[in-house]
Amino acid sequence: EAGVVQSPRYKIIEKKQPVAFWCNPISGHNTLYWYRQNLGQGPELLIRYENEEAVDDSQLPKDRFSAERLKGVDSTLKIQPAELGDSAVYLCASSLNSEQFFGPGTRLTVL
Amino acid sequence: GESVGLHLPTLSVQEGDNSIINCAYSNSASDYFIWYKQESGKGPQFIIDIRSNMDKRQGQRVTVLLNKTVKHLSLQIAATQPGDSAVYFCAENQSGNQFYFGTGTSLTVIP
């Protein structure tokens, strides 16, 4: 069974540029999460979806971050414009019940 | 506010010895806890979980202990192997599917 797929794996951009991350969760998992993980820290939740509905986006910086999960399957996370402090690993996870399965993450570097 | 933290940021053990990784949590209302292992360049991987109605749970070579009185969680790895070298995170569940992760402990196994 394929795990959570994320792309790209690495992204380097200049500040003020837009960037987008894509996630394909495990088939049948109705819950999808986006996390941000800073170096040496644990993941921090940005947004959680139940099917296509965002049920918890309280930690998402809405002035520059946006996310969508059309049709309740794949999801994209966008940053526009990116800032230097956005450099981090962006992890996607999915779950059917309580156990979350994480993707490999996208490492974003903002110059 | 609530926080999940680890006592030791790094831990080095000899191959074959037992490892103990500790975690403190502050929200007494948390009722579900997970230990994750994260290898370099990968997303966190589920190791073992425990609910608050239990104080001990065993898996293959791993044991999680929960002390609700002092709000402490530990992960014990028996006969530590080089492949166990990674960063270990504890995560607590609050308000349904929202998980809060600690900072992490880096475990290094010395051959």
Side-chain angles (χ1 to χ4, degrees):
Chain A
E1 178 182 339
V4 176
V5 179
Q6 291 188 247
S7 69
R9 291 295 314 277
Y10 305 91
K11 189 72 176 179
I12 301 173
I13 61 172
E14 294 187 343
K15 62 181 180 181
K16 300 184 181 180
Q17 294 300 305
V19 65
F21 314 122
W22 175 80
C23 174
N24 177 235
I26 293 173
S27 178
H29 284 194
N30 57 328
T31 307
L32 184 146
Y33 313 76
W34 282 104
Y35 288 88
R36 176 170 56 192
Q37 185 174 26
N38 293 311
L39 186 64
Q41 302 293 317
E44 297 176 320
L45 181 71
L46 292 173
I47 190 169
R48 172 168 65 94
Y49 282 93
E50 294 289 345
N51 298 305
E52 66 274 12
E53 181 182 0
V55 297
D56 185 353
D57 63 355
S58 57
Q59 301 302 312
L60 190 72
K62 298 181 181 62
D63 57 335
R64 297 184 299 107
F65 285 65
S66 65
E68 61 181 10
R69 191 185 184 196
L70 300 177
K71 300 181 181 179
V73 182
D74 294 359
S75 178
T76 57
L77 177 68
K78 299 178 181 178
I79 308 175
Q80 182 172 11
E83 297 179 351
L84 295 176
D86 296 331
S87 294
V89 174
Y90 290 83
L91 293 163
C92 179
S94 69
S95 69
L96 183 59
N97 40 52
S98 57
E99 181 176 349
Q100 297 181 51
F101 294 83
F102 284 83
T106 296
R107 180 176 296 278
L108 173 67
T109 301
V110 182
L111 303 176
Chain B
E2 292 84 8
S3 66
V4 178
L6 296 174
H7 293 308
L8 296 173
T10 61
L11 178 66
S12 295
V13 298
Q14 290 290 142
E15 180 178 359
D17 287 351
N18 296 333
S19 303
I20 299 177
I21 301 173
N22 296 304
C23 177
Y25 65 96
S26 59
N27 188 348
S28 57
S30 294
D31 58 5
Y32 181 54
F33 305 86
I34 298 179
W35 278 102
Y36 286 91
K37 172 186 180 183
Q38 187 173 25
E39 297 175 281
S40 180
K42 297 182 180 180
Q45 179 184 10
F46 174 96
I47 301 174
I48 191 168
D49 61 355
I50 189 168
R51 295 198 177 274
S52 58
N53 61 351
M54 303 173 68
D55 53 21
K56 180 179 180 179
R57 189 154 190 239
Q58 289 185 294
Q60 186 177 14
R61 285 202 304 118
V62 294
T63 301
V64 55
L65 300 177
L66 175 62
N67 186 330
K68 295 181 287 294
T69 301
V70 295
K71 295 196 285 290
H72 184 267
L73 196 69
S74 70
L75 175 70
Q76 300 178 2
I77 304 174
T80 313
Q81 302 169 1
D84 294 328
S85 293
V87 177
Y88 290 81
F89 294 96
C90 66
E92 64 176 305
N93 182 260
Q94 302 171 359
S95 303
N97 288 328
Q98 169 76 291
F99 279 92
Y100 291 92
F101 286 76
T103 301
T105 292
S106 177
L107 174 66
T108 300
V109 180
I110 303 168

